[in-house]
């Protein structure tokens, strides 16, 4: 006879399984879908969202939760009571939220996300913001309505933040970002005035098959398990799926081999986190990521602190040269390392270097707040974007493709996600400072191609923890400090100051 707890977990896992099926449809949509099949995919998304919502709002979940919350905790041989308490807490939160959303609202929103994704891709190709604006307006209306249904009607943008990073608010993020900006702007100004320049134009005609082989070797060496994951090509690189089946994507440009390499390492960081979650708990809070800021801290740590280090290139440079001997013949080791750490202002967030990257996020955070407060109308978004871009980055987009249409996130209603990138950067630098302190000799490991000690430390401290602690508590426990920009600023000054400021 199964205990009430077992019965609850079985239902949570069923809802989660349906979610993973919908997620796989989303992956397929961006990787494989034939151009004229978008309509049927929107219908499939709507049906899946409705089915998943029905599973998540199954009245049996409520009954079992009532029973478990009211009575003595059901004993589980494999799980501590504190683990059960975490599962119950999130199951209650998720259930109470799900029942506040009408099924037709959930289905309509899922179908709209699919339509809006294709509208965005087309608008971006044609540089046609006006064609996309109605889709964005409808997404904003959905977001406001959802916030209202869930009880955030006085602060709808906080609801958007909470969806990605529970425990954080627009106000707490604004305080962190203000401190970061204060430290970042002088560094950006000094590096822009530097006479040192990376020669990225030296990289020409890198065959895609060899690029693919190199990134496979790198990501496998970092610890990614390709027996439970794969990498394909999409317009916008992403990582989806769960630890049982990870789907990563990248993109290839023969004249920019570092782009596909670093975007693959970034997605690998996400994949390693998911693969490190306790598989037996997938579908409950103990097998789930804390939030997107923690997720981004994992991707950014591998992409930046690790893969842009001299030690990493000490190991991989000979392998890179062996695959591309002619293309790299005129590139010295120092020029290669400088290209890996090139600092150049760009209008495109995903192309931005580490020094400028956070400024791109400050821009989006500011505009999202204005959109949600009603201060900014969707039709005025391009003008507002360009003005803020000029102010923060010193460059003005010549068209909306390199401005407001560049990112995929809003096309799926993903408001409130952008801040997670910047929070993730702060967290990555803070985790790196702690890891370097408690694991002396990490860079010597990297120079030998050994990344296991770092991965094991992340597994123990972050991945296997599931959702036991929220974002800020996790950072406090692992690093002994509150989350802040101090370590990110120190890291950027050290790495880029040394390269560009002598
Ligand atoms: Zn990411």
């Amino acid at each position: 006879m199964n205990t009430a707890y077992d019965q609850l977990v079985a239902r949570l896992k069923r809802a989660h399984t349906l979610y993973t099926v919908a997620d796989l449809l989303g992956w397929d949509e961006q990787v494989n879908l034939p151009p004229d099949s978008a309509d049927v995919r929107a219908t499939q998304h709507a049906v899946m969202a409705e089915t998943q919502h029905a599973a998540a709002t199954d009245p049996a979940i409520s009954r079992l939760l009532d029973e478990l919350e009211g009575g003595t905790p059901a004993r589980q041989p494999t799980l501590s009571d504190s683990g059960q308490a975490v599962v119950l807490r999130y199951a209650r939160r998720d259930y109470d939220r799900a029942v506040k959303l009408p099924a037709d609202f959930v289905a309509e929103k899922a179908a709209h996300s699919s339509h809006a994704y294709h509208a965005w891709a087309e608008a971006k190709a044609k540089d046609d913001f006006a064609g996309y604006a109605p889709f964005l307006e409808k997404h904003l209306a959905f977001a406001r309505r959802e916030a209202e249904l869930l009880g955030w009607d006085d602060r709808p943008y906080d609801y958007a933040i909470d969806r990605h990073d529970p425990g954080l608010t627009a106000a707490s993020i604004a305080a962190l970002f203000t401190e970061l900006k204060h430290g970042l702007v002088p560094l950006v100004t000094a590096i822009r005035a530097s006479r040192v320049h990376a020669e990225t134009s030296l990289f020409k005609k890198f065959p895609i098959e060899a690029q693919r082989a190199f990134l496979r070797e790198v990501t496998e060496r970092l610890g990614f398990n390709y027996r439970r994951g794969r990498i394909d090509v999409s317009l916008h690189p992403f990582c989806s799926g769960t630890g049982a089946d990870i789907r990563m994507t990248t993109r290839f440009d023969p004249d920019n081999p570092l782009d596909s390499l670093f975007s693959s390492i970034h997605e690998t960081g996400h994949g390693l986190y998911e693969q490190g979650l306790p598989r037996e708990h997938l579908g409950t809070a103990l097998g789930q990521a804390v939030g997107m800021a923690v997720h981004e801290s994992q991707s950014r740590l591998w992409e930046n602190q690790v893969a842009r280090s001299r030690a990493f290139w000490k190991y991989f440079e000979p392998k890179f040269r062996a695959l591309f001997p002619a293309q790299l013949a005129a590139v010295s080791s120092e020029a290669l390392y400088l290209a890996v750490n090139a600092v150049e202002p760009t209008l495109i967030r995903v192309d931005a270097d580490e020094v400028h990257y956070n400024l791109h996020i400050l821009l989006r955070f500011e505009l999202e707040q204005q959109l949600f407060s009603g201060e900014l109308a969707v039709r005025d978004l391009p003008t507002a974007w360009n003005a803020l871009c000029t102010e923060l980055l010193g460059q003005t987009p010549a068209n909306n493709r390199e401005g407001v249409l560049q990112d995929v996130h809003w096309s799926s209603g993903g408001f409130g996600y952008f801040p997670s990138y910047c929070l993730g950067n702060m967290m990555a630098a803070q985790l790196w400072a702690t890891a370097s302190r408690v694991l002396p000799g990490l860079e010597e490991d990297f120079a030998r191609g050994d990344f296991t000690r770092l991965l094991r430390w992340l597994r123990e401290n972050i991945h296997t923890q599931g959702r036991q602690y929220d974002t800020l508590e996790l950072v406090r426990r692992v690093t002994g400090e509150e989350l802040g920009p101090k370590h990110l600023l120190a890291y950027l000054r050290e790495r880029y100051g040394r390269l560009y400021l002598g």
Side-chain angles (χ1 to χ4, degrees), residues 266-267 270 296 299 417 421:
H266 177 96
E267 302 310 337
H270 287 302
E296 291 301 335
S299 53
Y417 189 116
Y421 289 114

Side-chain angles (χ1 to χ4, degrees), residues 237-239 266-267 270 292 295-297 299-300 303 349 357 417 421:
F238 66 91
C239 175
H266 177 96
E267 302 310 337
H270 287 302
M292 291 324 296
H295 236 302
E296 291 301 335
S297 79
S299 53
R300 299 295 278 180
E303 177 191 358
R349 177 186 62 85
Y357 188 92
Y417 189 116
Y421 289 114

Side-chain angles (χ1 to χ4, degrees), residues 122-177:
E122 200 184 324
K124 189 178 174 183
K126 294 183 184 162
D127 189 25
D128 172 25
F129 180 77
Y132 173 57
F135 290 88
L136 197 48
E137 268 160 11
K138 195 164 171 185
H139 258 318
L140 258 184
F142 274 125
R144 286 216 181 84
R145 176 84 182 119
E146 193 163 318
E148 194 181 305
L149 287 164
L150 294 175
W152 301 81
D153 43 332
D154 54 334
R155 291 169 302 166
Y157 189 52
D158 276 350
Y159 141 78
I161 301 281
D162 185 85
R163 277 178 68 203
H164 302 100
D165 295 305
L168 284 144
T169 61
S172 62
I173 291 173
L176 290 169
F177 284 8

